[in-house]
Amino acid sequence: MPAARRSAAFDPISPDLDLDALVQQTPNFEYVTRISCDMIDTQGFEVFEKLVLIHVIIGGKPLVIEGFHKRLDEWTFTSAWLQDNHGKKFEQVRNLSKQSNMTLSIGHYLNNMSKLTNQWNPNNYRDRDRQRLYLKDIDCPEVWYEKLKAVIPPSIFYLNDSTGDVGGPGSVDEPNPHATGLRKGRGVARAGDLMSCLPQTMRADNLMCYIGHEGTYTPAHREMCASLGQNLMVETSGTVDLDGKPTKPGSSIWFMTESKDRHLVSEYWLSTLGHDIEIEAHFAQINAWKCAPFTTYIVEQKQGDFILIPPLAPHQVWNRGTRTMKVAWNRTTVETLELALDEALPRARMVGRDEQYKNKAIIYFALDRYSDLLKRVDYQKRTASHAPEALKSSPKIRQLQKDFRRLYALYTRLLVAEALPQNPREKMKIQYVPFDSNITCSFCRCNIFNRFLTCPSCIVPLENGEEDTYDVCLECYAMGRSCKCLSGYRWVEQFKWQELTDKHERWRKQIIAFEGGLTDKSPQPLHMERQYSKKHPLAQVCQEQLRLRPWNDPKKPPPAPKLSKDADESRVNVNGEVVTTKKKKPLVIEKGHMKNHISNYPEPIWKLGVCKCGRAYGYGSLWRAFDTAPLTVMEDPDWQCPHCQKICSCGKCRKIAGMQPYQPTGTVLGYDTRRVADPRSTESLIDFRQSNFEWVKKAGDDLPAGEETRRLSRRVDEAEAAKSQGAALDDAHYVDEGDNTPMTNGHAESSTTRAEASPNDIPIDPLLGSLPPTAKTPQRVPHEHTGSGENGIQNGDNDQPPYRFVAPSALMLDQRQGQHQEQHHLGGGFTTDANGIVFQYPDPEDPDPTVPQYAPPQVEHRTQPPDSTDNGKKRKRSDVLQADMLDPNEANELYHKAQVKRTLHEARRNNRYILAEAAMSGRSLSVKLQVNKDRFSQIVSQPPAQTTQPPVRSKPSMAIVQSDYPSPSAKKPVPNPLKRARIERDDNFAAKKGTLHKSKKPLQPKDPQQKSGSKYMEITSESEMEDGMDLDDSRAEKEEPKPRPLPAYLARKNDVGDNEIPKELSSEPKYRPSRRKSTLVDSAVDSGPNPSTQQASAKEPLDAATNVAEANRKAKLRALQWDQDEVEDDEQEPKVSPDKQADGANDKQTPALEPADMARVQQKGSSSVPAKATAAAAAAVTPSGVPKSIFSRAKKVRVMAASNVDKRHSLGV
């Protein structure tokens, strides 16, 4: 883990901040230069493009173009339109307080923005538990894109494919999309955004929208891949919303820097603030910007303000008010591609940041497209007779040729790096995979253009049948980043090498043709470029490392670590103290190992950089102590070690006369990429998580906070040298159109007030006009000068370089501000330095919140010349071992030792030293102690001490907005109301299931003295559905819906003479006769008249309730008969005489009962059995006297009571 070091805390901006007063009172704060969008129409697009090129791209300064809100559609670019058209769309909203995402619909977020804003006031704006929800990186609506395309200048708009004029030189006829026929296209010119050269499927969609409220922010960062940023504020809240509710005016505060200060800003972030700006996780405090040794440009972005962000210029944004809505996109040019290959991509690779813009692929496809355009120009020159001079003198065509030459140089770099050595004895087997731009490095996640390495042993099958391969780019493998196999990789390419080399030669000839012939400056063939390079290509380096590094089988367990040959030996003396002695054994160097010059221990050769002098340096020491990457050592066949360069800073070499120890030029905090890299990854050469703090301390450059270090001073000098070169156009790369008249506009703004410019001047940049900047810039004073004001700062209009450090004039932050840190810090102590910056120590076990928990031991610094001694005293052997034998770069090792020492000290105080020391060293130690038996029994019998922890009090949630996204696993709640139902006792039926008891015991007669009281039970709708009293279970199997049956207690009411309540609810209208035909089962169980009788007597009033009651009794009788059939299922049914069979067929309306059943019914009382049913039972018997059952097992049918009762009668009509 990285060494413990304090880092600046997150301190929010107060809602009542007076920005104008802050800029006026802070010497190094300046407002960004502003121009009006009307100036573009007045001066023309060519002059505006030149302004953007000089001021933003080459000069590296931000620019604001105001007034676009007057040209935007007032209804489309509003929150109401967005809510009406996209309000139901769900997006991922960033919760900045918890550093997590939550799913919200756009409409739900917009409706709650007032609540999120009103929670903040000048007293609680530092509360870290309140919600800061930022709707960022959402896709821009298509309607917005079309309307912005008609307003924004084409050269700086999203995915612009040509900056040529309509009908300009080189234009051709093209189909008219708005009418029939053809129209003149745009002339030949370079693209405003080289991303447009990629195929449609390979482009990165970076036209995004950002919607935020008071307190939301974007941490300090650079634009991805050194691209140019464009940000337009399309809508902000005013004092009153559309619905009449009061709101707070919206705006955004930008803290910006210029591109030429990028190295200074990065070092200031690392050494002073303790953060890496590449990680994009820290929002710097205002006091941190005040103390910065560079100029900070301030922008208060309001509606209609269009900001142009320079490449690689760090900046951060703070949103104010109820609502801010911005649209942003990025552009790629040939200038940004050069910066990407040199700086942006290597830095992004270190921290594992995604490369979404596919820069290497853009170079290839842009060359292919530009080549076609230049071929068209050559064809028109040969065929056209009226305009050849216009094609030759066109500045846009000549600028396209210069860009083509610059892109060709970048393409040559790519091919030379991927060229493998041509060894006829060794045949390379390279796998071919067609290029689709989707293959990325498994470690750094950068996009791979052509060649890479893949591990055949680390293939993981996926659920969808595909395979997850481990692919690593050549840059990562050269740095020691790979899977745990380390070697055994296979080569893969996405383009045929012959195809790439053929295009390289074809484009070279094309450049020679439009440059007028072969000259000394003409590009060379690819094989000549490889010969001129004195370094090994990257692909050759990887091929050599594949031979050197061992292959580890991932299926086998890792080998057990070998015991150290200098392991300590511990023993206990007579006083009970542990005495540690070191075993002195000779140092044995195994085969394939060499002694590391820094640590003086043997290591494998493939982990060392070996010099011709025979000394070997570990790649970790070279990286942290000498700013040397592993690729620098591997690609140089004549590499010299630091000892040969007379810059070695180890303990032994410091004593050598003439040796000048190297001082690290920058700060390395360490990069922990385990969260972003593939889990199969490892770092075999360098542990990039380690910092270089110990080497910085050895160099004496670790000064207290507020003092300028040599590392920072060096970056200041580099920035001043870059600014001194100016922002003039280079003739080798740019074409001067001959119009040097600067753009004029009376609405230009510089600094905090409007500047009155003459008609011919505009205060854009001192190099563009004669008007000097109106704001006074603080100047830097040399260290020797002490006659100026406080802190040696002068304010004036002289041309001295800018100052370094300024003590802020604002109030000091109190200690309570340390309680509001960013969520990614784990706690620790906080302190405020002399400049008012709140710092924190990310150690969760810090006992004292005001001081750091651990300060690494001070390493002895030699201030005398190397050949002198320290007052004639000889250094102790322990000091020599600490300086020479140990690896002083490993700050983590020193931190671990201090932790071990402190732990052992605590263990000694608690009489647990022996156990703790044995556990930490991994050794076992047996100690025999003489203890009395009685005392031992007393100790054993004592109960273990119980530790009680105080209850954890949960803080009340301060969340205002909750996610409205429906969970896919959540089901809709089913109402389950409780009902109170009366349950009557019935010995023949179950209490709830409605079925007959399956008991074999004979039914007992009912006691006449027993009361037929009712019980009440609380039931639910679910219990009614499952445990209902309905006998017809076949309803669930029918497709047609049936009438809902009445509850059981209403059906029982009919038995006691309630003639006003029907048995079931009718699903048919009143007075409508039933159209259902009577079946055999219906006629057997129906107690009413037959269908012919029903039709004849339809007009006669019938007592329907009486028929229902009678049918209910008959249903009970059928159930009793059904139960009896189960007992007699094996009995053989006797034959029935014809005459009895006919009598039984005539009387089908009344069911027949068996004699046993009849006896049971008679025991219950004659009142429960109708006379008609008794007569029918006596008639339906066989000649042998055995009753015929219509409910035999073969013909068992479950029917519902009174299922065929006429619906008219059931309603009591």
Side-chain angles (χ1 to χ4, degrees):
M1 63 179 287
R5 187 177 178 88
R6 69 176 193 170
S7 56
F10 168 65
D11 186 51
I13 297 178
S14 176
D16 59 351
L17 174 68
D18 189 352
L19 187 61
D20 291 336
L22 176 66
V23 176
Q24 291 290 348
Q25 297 173 5
T26 307
N28 63 325
F29 280 11
E30 292 184 10
Y31 275 110
V32 175
T33 302
R34 288 177 172 264
I35 61 174
S36 175
C37 61
D38 298 333
M39 179 266 300
I40 302 176
D41 300 335
T42 304
Q43 302 293 334
F45 289 119
E46 290 79 7
V47 180
F48 174 72
E49 292 176 8
K50 184 177 181 180
L51 169 66
V52 174
L53 177 64
I54 296 177
H55 186 79
V56 181
I57 299 178
I58 301 178
K61 295 181 180 181
L63 180 66
V64 178
I65 308 172
E66 60 184 8
F68 276 102
H69 63 285
K70 301 177 182 178
R71 305 186 179 189
L72 296 177
D73 189 356
E74 297 181 359
W75 165 245
T76 305
F77 294 93
T78 59
S79 59
W81 183 94
L82 191 64
Q83 189 169 12
D84 294 341
N85 294 272
H86 300 273
K88 297 182 179 181
K89 183 180 179 182
F90 288 93
E91 297 287 354
Q92 292 294 322
V93 180
R94 185 65 174 173
N95 190 345
L96 300 175
S97 301
K98 296 184 178 181
Q99 297 296 315
S100 61
N101 295 332
M102 62 185 303
T103 305
L104 292 176
S105 63
I106 296 179
H108 184 59
Y109 178 77
L110 294 175
N111 291 333
N112 290 275
M113 295 194 73
S114 296
K115 297 181 180 179
L116 294 170
T117 301
N118 296 333
Q119 66 176 333
W120 303 107
N121 56 63
N123 298 324
N124 66 354
Y125 72 95
R126 289 194 175 99
D127 195 343
R128 63 187 179 95
D129 296 328
R130 297 181 181 271
Q131 283 185 323
R132 302 178 187 269
L133 303 182
Y134 197 7
L135 185 58
K136 57 188 301 186
D137 296 330
I138 64 174
D139 295 334
C140 179
E142 185 69 22
V143 177
W144 286 15
Y145 166 75
E146 296 296 338
K147 291 184 176 295
L148 288 175
K149 187 176 182 180
V151 174
I152 304 298
S155 60
I156 59 175
F157 192 61
Y158 177 63
L159 292 179
N160 174 261
D161 57 353
S162 177
T163 57
D165 301 327
V166 177
S171 61
V172 295
D173 295 335
E174 60 182 18
N176 190 351
H178 306 291
T180 58
L182 301 177
R183 68 175 185 181
K184 278 292 184 180
R186 291 187 175 274
V188 174
R190 62 177 181 176
D193 185 4
L194 292 180
M195 181 75 69
S196 61
C197 299
L198 289 177
Q200 185 69 29
T201 57
M202 300 182 186
R203 299 173 183 175
D205 297 331
N206 56 22
L207 184 63
M208 300 297 178
C209 294
Y210 299 82
I211 306 175
H213 60 85
E214 176 73 45
T216 57
Y217 60 90
T218 300
H221 67 286
R222 314 172 194 257
E223 294 299 321
M224 183 177 294
C225 299
S227 59
L228 290 166
Q230 286 78 213
N231 192 291
L232 174 63
M233 181 76 77
V234 296
E235 198 264 350
T236 59
S237 58
T239 56
V240 180
D241 211 343
L242 295 178
D243 54 0
K245 296 181 180 180
T247 57
K248 297 180 180 180
S251 64
S252 296
I253 302 176
W254 290 63
F255 298 84
M256 310 184 71
T257 60
E258 54 182 307
S259 299
K260 296 180 180 180
D261 287 335
R262 59 184 182 273
H263 300 297
L264 174 59
V265 177
S266 178
E267 180 59 32
Y268 177 74
W269 242 250
L270 292 169
S271 60
T272 304
L273 302 183
H275 293 277
D276 193 345
I277 204 169
E278 301 295 336
I279 300 179
E280 303 181 2
H282 177 63
F283 184 87
Q285 311 167 22
I286 293 182
N287 282 345
W289 291 99
K290 290 180 179 180
C291 304
F294 48 81
T295 302
T296 301
Y297 297 93
I298 305 298
V299 178
E300 185 176 10
Q301 187 184 22
K302 297 182 179 181
Q303 185 178 7
D305 289 347
F306 186 33
I307 301 179
L308 303 182
I309 308 168
L312 290 179
H315 57 279
Q316 67 181 24
V317 187
W318 182 270
N319 296 321
R320 308 177 74 183
T322 302
R323 183 178 60 256
T324 59
M325 298 173 57
K326 298 185 282 288
V327 178
W329 64 93
N330 293 78
R331 295 190 301 121
T332 302
T333 63
V334 63
E335 293 85 2
T336 64
L337 287 175
E338 293 175 345
L339 293 175
L341 293 184
D342 294 336
E343 298 183 31
L345 292 184
R347 291 177 178 269
R349 188 177 294 111
M350 292 300 303
V351 300
R353 186 181 181 185
D354 286 334
E355 182 197 352
Q356 299 180 2
Y357 293 169
K358 306 175 179 63
N359 291 268
K360 296 180 180 179
I362 290 177
I363 295 174
Y364 174 79
F365 286 99
L367 278 170
D368 199 8
R369 181 174 181 178
Y370 282 6
S371 176
D372 294 340
L373 292 178
L374 293 176
K375 288 180 181 178
R376 189 208 310 181
V377 173
D378 293 339
Y379 176 78
Q380 292 180 356
K381 287 180 180 179
R382 294 192 304 267
T383 58
S385 58
H386 58 280
E389 296 297 331
L391 294 174
K392 294 180 181 180
S393 60
S394 173
K396 292 185 178 295
I397 296 178
R398 289 189 289 118
Q399 184 62 53
L400 177 65
Q401 295 173 350
K402 290 182 177 294
D403 286 358
F404 185 79
R405 175 66 183 268
R406 297 174 70 176
L407 290 171
Y408 180 81
L410 298 177
Y411 181 68
T412 304
R413 289 175 52 183
L414 299 181
L415 294 189
V416 171
E418 295 185 359
L420 287 168
Q422 298 178 356
N423 188 359
R425 299 180 181 179
E426 182 180 3
K427 295 183 179 180
M428 299 290 298
K429 295 182 179 180
I430 303 178
Q431 181 183 357
Y432 173 73
V433 177
F435 180 78
D436 60 356
S437 75
N438 294 326
I439 298 180
T440 58
C441 178
S442 299
F443 200 109
C444 69
R445 304 191 299 178
C446 71
N447 185 264
I448 300 177
F449 169 64
N450 184 29
R451 285 180 173 174
F452 61 94
L453 297 171
T454 183
C455 181
S457 304
C458 295
I459 300 177
V460 179
L462 301 178
E463 296 180 357
N464 56 1
E466 298 182 356
E467 295 180 344
D468 183 14
T469 59
Y470 189 91
D471 305 326
V472 62
C473 64
L474 304 184
E475 290 84 357
C476 281
Y477 191 77
M479 295 166 59
R481 292 175 165 181
S482 63
C483 67
K484 297 180 181 179
C485 297
L486 300 183
S487 185
Y489 285 77
R490 295 178 182 175
W491 285 94
V492 185
E493 64 181 10
Q494 303 181 73
F495 291 93
K496 294 295 184 181
W497 185 254
Q498 188 64 34
E499 176 186 354
L500 296 179
T501 55
D502 290 347
K503 287 191 175 183
H504 182 272
E505 182 64 20
R506 188 188 316 146
W507 292 336
R508 186 183 73 90
K509 295 179 180 179
Q510 197 170 2
I511 293 175
I512 295 175
F514 65 68
E515 286 185 349
L518 185 64
T519 62
D520 297 339
K521 298 182 180 180
S522 299
Q524 300 295 325
L526 184 60
H527 67 278
M528 297 296 295
E529 295 286 352
R530 295 177 56 184
Q531 293 180 1
Y532 292 156
S533 178
K534 298 181 180 180
K535 299 179 180 179
H536 295 316
L538 178 60
Q540 182 177 350
V541 170
C542 294
Q543 184 68 11
E544 294 175 355
Q545 291 298 315
L546 286 172
R547 300 191 188 99
L548 293 177
R549 300 178 189 179
W551 179 74
N552 297 331
D553 191 354
K555 300 180 181 179
K556 293 182 179 180
K562 297 181 180 180
L563 296 177
S564 177
K565 297 183 179 181
D566 293 340
D568 297 343
E569 197 175 58
S570 302
R571 62 183 180 86
V572 181
N573 57 12
V574 294
N575 297 328
E577 298 178 351
V578 178
V579 180
T580 303
T581 58
K582 289 188 177 181
K583 296 181 180 180
K584 295 183 180 180
K585 292 185 178 181
L587 187 63
V588 179
I589 300 178
E590 300 178 358
K591 184 179 180 181
H593 290 63
M594 290 186 66
K595 187 173 65 174
N596 191 336
H597 181 74
I598 299 296
S599 64
N600 206 25
Y601 281 94
E603 294 184 13
I605 296 179
W606 61 273
K607 289 187 176 182
L608 301 172
V610 183
C611 180
K612 294 182 178 180
C613 66
R615 295 179 178 85
Y617 284 75
Y619 287 114
S621 302
L622 293 173
W623 170 257
R624 286 181 286 270
F626 303 99
D627 298 330
T628 303
L631 182 59
T632 305
V633 180
M634 299 173 183
E635 68 182 1
D636 189 0
D638 300 327
W639 176 74
Q640 292 183 349
C641 65
H643 180 84
C644 296
Q645 300 179 29
K646 303 297 183 181
I647 58 173
C648 186
S649 56
C650 69
K652 292 182 179 179
C653 296
R654 284 175 178 269
K655 302 177 182 179
I656 301 176
M659 188 70 66
Q660 297 179 358
Y662 184 84
Q663 298 179 4
T665 59
T667 305
V668 178
L669 289 180
Y671 310 96
D672 190 358
T673 58
R674 289 176 294 181
R675 296 181 180 180
V676 296
D678 193 285
R680 298 167 287 182
S681 303
T682 186
E683 294 176 341
S684 58
L685 296 182
I686 302 175
D687 186 2
F688 288 97
R689 295 175 296 171
Q690 306 299 327
S691 65
N692 67 341
F693 292 155
E694 292 302 319
W695 289 104
V696 170
K697 289 182 178 181
K698 287 189 71 172
D701 199 20
D702 190 27
L703 302 179
E707 298 185 15
E708 185 177 2
T709 62
R710 291 191 294 269
R711 292 162 290 153
L712 204 59
S713 177
R714 186 181 296 107
R715 299 302 183 189
V716 171
D717 296 337
E718 294 175 357
E720 293 175 359
K723 294 176 184 178
S724 63
Q725 298 178 1
L729 296 178
D730 186 6
D731 295 337
H733 295 159
Y734 300 100
V735 174
D736 190 0
E737 301 182 7
D739 186 8
N740 295 326
T741 304
M743 304 175 65
T744 61
N745 185 2
H747 296 89
E749 178 179 305
S750 180
S751 185
T752 59
T753 58
R754 300 278 181 173
E756 296 182 0
S758 61
N760 297 326
D761 294 328
I762 180 172
I764 301 299
D765 191 278
L767 297 174
L768 300 180
S770 59
L771 183 66
T774 58
K776 296 183 179 180
T777 304
Q779 308 298 334
R780 175 186 174 186
V781 182
H783 294 283
E784 301 81 20
H785 180 73
T786 57
S788 58
E790 183 181 0
N791 296 327
I793 303 301
Q794 292 181 348
N795 293 331
D797 295 332
N798 50 9
D799 296 332
Q800 296 182 5
Y803 69 104
R804 293 177 181 261
F805 278 94
V806 180
S809 58
L811 297 178
M812 307 294 289
L813 296 178
D814 53 12
Q815 290 295 332
R816 65 178 181 178
Q817 297 180 7
Q819 302 175 1
H820 313 287
Q821 73 275 18
E822 288 180 319
Q823 293 294 327
H824 60 271
H825 293 300
L826 301 177
F830 295 87
T831 182
T832 306
D833 66 353
N835 293 325
I837 305 177
V838 179
F839 288 91
Q840 59 187 6
Y841 293 83
D843 190 351
E845 300 178 357
D846 190 359
D848 187 359
T850 59
V851 295
Q853 179 182 1
Y854 162 70
Q858 297 293 333
V859 181
E860 180 182 358
H861 306 294
R862 300 185 60 88
T863 56
Q864 289 87 1
D867 54 348
S868 62
T869 59
D870 298 337
N871 298 328
K873 296 181 180 180
K874 187 177 181 180
R875 297 173 61 189
K876 296 181 180 180
R877 177 61 179 172
S878 60
D879 297 337
V880 176
L881 288 175
Q882 181 179 2
D884 301 341
M885 302 295 290
L886 299 180
D887 188 1
N889 331 344
E890 304 294 339
N892 186 32
E893 182 179 354
L894 295 177
Y895 177 78
H896 177 68
K897 288 182 178 180
Q899 293 281 7
V900 171
K901 184 177 180 181
R902 185 178 59 200
T903 303
L904 293 178
H905 179 70
E906 294 293 334
R908 187 188 298 275
R909 294 174 55 185
N910 299 331
N911 298 324
R912 297 178 59 256
Y913 181 85
I914 297 177
L915 181 62
E917 197 275 338
M920 297 178 67
S921 60
R923 297 191 297 268
S924 60
L925 181 63
S926 300
V927 180
K928 293 182 179 181
L929 301 177
Q930 298 294 336
V931 182
N932 190 2
K933 294 182 179 181
D934 298 336
R935 176 60 178 166
F936 181 76
S937 302
Q938 182 181 1
I939 295 175
V940 173
S941 61
Q942 292 180 355
Q946 297 181 357
T947 59
T948 59
Q949 297 181 355
V952 180
R953 297 182 179 179
S954 59
K955 297 182 179 180
S957 177
M958 305 183 68
I960 297 178
V961 180
Q962 301 292 339
S963 176
D964 61 336
Y965 183 76
S967 177
S969 60
K971 298 181 179 180
K972 295 183 178 180
V974 179
N976 193 17
L978 291 177
K979 298 180 180 180
R980 196 166 182 263
R982 185 175 67 179
I983 306 298
E984 295 187 359
R985 181 176 179 179
D986 194 339
D987 295 336
N988 299 332
F989 291 85
K992 300 176 67 176
K993 288 295 181 181
T995 58
L996 191 67
H997 289 288
K998 302 293 176 89
S999 175
K1000 304 296 182 180
K1001 298 180 181 181
L1003 298 177
Q1004 301 296 332
K1006 182 177 181 181
D1007 188 2
Q1009 298 180 357
Q1010 185 178 2
K1011 297 181 180 180
S1012 59
S1014 301
K1015 295 182 179 180
Y1016 290 89
M1017 179 183 294
E1018 289 185 350
I1019 61 176
T1020 62
S1021 59
E1022 294 180 358
S1023 63
E1024 282 188 312
M1025 295 171 60
E1026 298 175 359
D1027 306 332
M1029 305 294 290
D1030 189 13
L1031 298 176
D1032 187 12
D1033 294 339
S1034 62
R1035 290 186 307 160
E1037 301 176 0
K1038 297 181 180 180
E1039 296 180 358
E1040 299 179 0
K1042 296 298 180 181
R1044 179 174 58 89
L1046 292 175
Y1049 79 97
L1050 293 179
R1052 297 293 188 272
K1053 260 189 174 183
N1054 297 332
D1055 296 345
V1056 295
D1058 192 353
N1059 300 327
E1060 298 181 359
I1061 303 178
K1063 173 63 180 175
E1064 60 186 13
L1065 300 179
S1066 175
S1067 61
E1068 300 180 4
K1070 291 183 178 181
Y1071 306 109
R1072 182 180 180 183
S1074 176
R1075 297 183 180 180
R1076 190 177 60 171
K1077 294 183 179 181
S1078 183
T1079 60
L1080 178 61
V1081 177
D1082 294 333
S1083 61
V1085 300
D1086 192 6
S1087 61
N1090 53 30
S1092 61
T1093 305
Q1094 292 180 7
Q1095 295 177 3
S1097 59
K1099 299 181 180 180
E1100 299 178 2
L1102 299 175
D1103 193 353
T1106 304
N1107 296 335
V1108 172
E1110 185 179 358
N1112 186 40
R1113 295 189 188 96
K1114 293 180 181 181
K1116 294 183 179 180
L1117 296 177
R1118 287 196 303 272
L1120 291 172
Q1121 200 165 1
W1122 185 6
D1123 182 75
Q1124 186 65 24
D1125 285 342
E1126 294 185 5
V1127 181
E1128 300 173 355
D1129 55 353
D1130 295 332
E1131 293 184 2
Q1132 184 178 4
E1133 185 178 52
K1135 297 182 180 181
V1136 182
S1137 59
D1139 53 344
K1140 297 295 182 179
Q1141 187 175 7
D1143 295 338
N1146 293 333
D1147 192 8
K1148 296 182 179 179
Q1149 296 179 1
T1150 304
L1153 298 179
E1154 297 180 3
D1157 297 334
M1158 184 62 66
R1160 297 177 185 176
V1161 174
Q1162 290 177 358
Q1163 291 178 4
K1164 297 181 66 177
S1166 59
S1167 60
S1168 62
V1169 181
K1172 189 177 180 180
T1174 306
V1181 293
T1182 60
S1184 59
V1186 179
K1188 177 183 178 182
S1189 174
I1190 63 173
F1191 290 95
S1192 61
R1193 181 175 294 272
K1195 298 180 181 180
K1196 187 179 300 183
V1197 179
R1198 303 180 64 186
V1199 295
M1200 181 179 66
S1203 60
N1204 199 31
V1205 177
D1206 192 2
K1207 302 304 184 293
R1208 300 182 305 154
H1209 299 166
S1210 65
L1211 293 174
V1213 180

